[in-house]
Amino acid sequence: MATVTSSNAALGSVRLTHLAALDVKGADAEKFLQGQTSAQVSLANGHFAPLTCFCTPKGRMLANAQLLLMGDDHYRLLLSSTLLDSLANHLKKFAAFYKVELTALPNLTFIGTDGNHQALTDQLGLNLSEQNLPEQIGTHTSSEQVFALRYPGKTPRWLVCFDNAIHADELSISDDDTHRNAWQLEDIRSGLAWLTDAQQDHFLPQMLNWEALGGISFKKGCYTGQEVVARAHFRGQVKKRLLPISIETATLPEVGASLTNGDDKAVGEVVVSAINEQGGVELLAVMSTKVTEETVPLFLAGAPASLLPLPYTIERVDPEQLAVRLNG
């Protein structure tokens, strides 16, 4: 990310470059994904878009994603653009045994927008209001040209995606790091972190609070890494958690930068960060749970750091129950 001095910009409509999509199509698409992902794939029904993740046999995350049903035997995964190729290559090792086709879509256009989407609607030549923009977080609407996914956050916001046949290059939409930073800040304040290649094969899903966000089904059958993920949950072995932190500094830290205690011992690492309205930094870091159990000073590169409250409790949210509520 380029230098950003503050996040005073309203969200508006901004081109998002950190996301990409992977399509999974074919008669065996659901069966194939069911054996690879933490989601109960059948819950993706064209309305509810469950969070999910893909793991190694040791339960470490290769990618986290959001799963959308786009049509008959057609699923779409939204994930970090830095993990698109590696996840596609990983899944192709298993796809040969199924009637399924994987297609990486690096050139889809992603637009983040708040409720003021009329200008975007006019420029796209699409009537998003007639498309009934989804009101509930984690749900989406789709057409042949575009889909809109409701994102979490205190500010109502949607992720709108379409292919470049709509002449995305002609849109007069914000395409700068200041507005992208504002979107990233909303993710951070929502307690939502998208894994990137810098920390692939590094965290258990629970370390990104994925079960608290409904991203892990503990009721489905086996998938790669399932035994380790389930054991860590039921035995209470997760000793690191994603926590929001503020720092009085104007410099964005590197992904993986260490947070330390008063004895200069590492107690956490940065996952994602953004500049806030005051010119300081807010971030999400995977931290030792001891920092919430004990009052200890925190630092990042010598700058004092403060824990912030999560917008949700760290409790298991079954996606099956979430789907009933959102589909009700």
Side-chain angles (χ1 to χ4, degrees):
M1 181 179 292
T3 301
V4 177
T5 57
S6 70
S7 186
N8 291 324
L11 283 178
S13 295
V14 57
R15 191 184 300 264
L16 301 176
T17 55
H18 67 287
L19 295 173
L22 177 65
D23 271 6
V24 183
K25 296 181 181 180
D28 291 340
E30 180 178 344
K31 181 180 179 181
F32 167 71
L33 284 170
Q34 184 74 359
Q36 295 298 325
T37 179
S38 66
Q40 185 71 265
V41 178
S42 62
L43 297 179
N45 60 2
H47 175 65
F48 177 47
L51 293 173
T52 188
C53 65
F54 297 83
C55 298
T56 68
K58 294 183 179 181
R60 302 289 164 165
M61 294 175 74
L62 293 171
N64 55 351
Q66 196 144 17
L67 178 65
L68 287 71
L69 178 65
M70 303 299 293
D72 292 342
D73 300 325
H74 177 191
Y75 294 89
R76 178 165 293 170
L77 293 160
L78 308 182
L79 68 160
S80 167
S81 58
T82 68
L83 294 175
L84 178 61
D85 290 339
S86 63
L87 181 62
N89 290 334
H90 169 75
L91 293 178
K92 284 177 181 177
K93 293 184 294 184
F94 308 96
F97 303 100
Y98 296 85
K99 295 177 182 178
V100 67
E101 179 182 352
L102 305 178
T103 305
L105 302 170
N107 296 319
L108 287 182
T109 296
F110 291 91
I111 303 294
T113 184
D114 60 16
N116 300 312
H117 51 73
Q118 189 58 50
L120 178 63
T121 296
D122 293 342
Q123 292 180 73
L124 288 177
L126 302 169
N127 194 329
L128 293 179
S129 60
E130 288 183 1
Q131 207 185 341
N132 296 320
L133 281 173
E135 295 182 0
Q136 296 171 302
I137 293 168
T139 64
H140 71 103
T141 54
S142 303
S143 71
E144 292 182 0
Q145 295 175 298
V146 63
F147 72 77
L149 171 68
R150 177 66 190 269
Y151 248 53
K154 290 184 178 180
T155 301
R157 57 184 184 141
W158 290 264
L159 178 69
V160 179
C161 177
F162 47 88
D163 64 43
N164 287 333
I166 300 181
H167 307 296
D169 292 339
E170 299 176 9
L171 299 176
S172 57
I173 290 171
S174 299
D175 191 9
D176 59 85
D177 287 315
T178 297
H179 284 85
R180 278 189 280 271
N181 177 86
W183 182 272
Q184 191 96 287
L185 186 62
E186 284 295 316
D187 275 0
I188 290 169
R189 290 174 173 174
S190 301
L192 176 66
W194 296 109
L195 192 72
T196 65
D197 59 347
Q199 291 174 307
Q200 189 180 37
D201 194 11
H202 189 55
F203 298 126
L204 290 170
Q206 291 97 323
M207 294 178 185
L208 293 190
N209 301 345
W210 217 235
E211 89 281 31
L213 293 167
I216 306 173
S217 172
F218 291 95
K219 298 181 178 181
K220 65 174 288 185
C222 293
Y223 59 90
T224 303
Q226 181 263 343
E227 290 186 5
V228 177
V229 173
R231 188 184 310 122
H233 172 73
F234 290 112
R235 294 185 179 179
Q237 296 174 333
V238 182
K239 302 303 180 184
K240 295 180 179 180
R241 285 292 185 176
L242 191 73
L243 296 174
I245 290 172
S246 66
I247 306 172
E248 294 183 9
T249 179
T251 303
L252 288 172
E254 296 288 335
V255 172
S258 293
L259 287 114
T260 58
N261 60 17
D263 297 325
D264 203 30
K265 180 181 178 181
V267 291
E269 55 187 292
V270 174
V271 177
V272 61
S273 62
I275 300 293
N276 62 22
E277 296 85 350
Q278 293 74 40
V281 169
E282 292 182 32
L283 58 85
L284 292 171
V286 172
M287 303 287 294
S288 167
T289 54
K290 290 183 178 179
V291 303
T292 60
E293 299 166 358
E294 307 169 3
T295 303
V296 297
L298 296 174
F299 303 90
L300 193 151
S306 302
L307 287 175
L308 298 174
L310 271 169
Y312 50 79
T313 57
I314 299 181
E315 297 177 350
R316 170 179 160 185
V317 174
D318 287 325
E320 292 82 1
Q321 294 300 314
L322 188 59
V324 169
R325 178 168 63 82
L326 293 177
N327 291 323

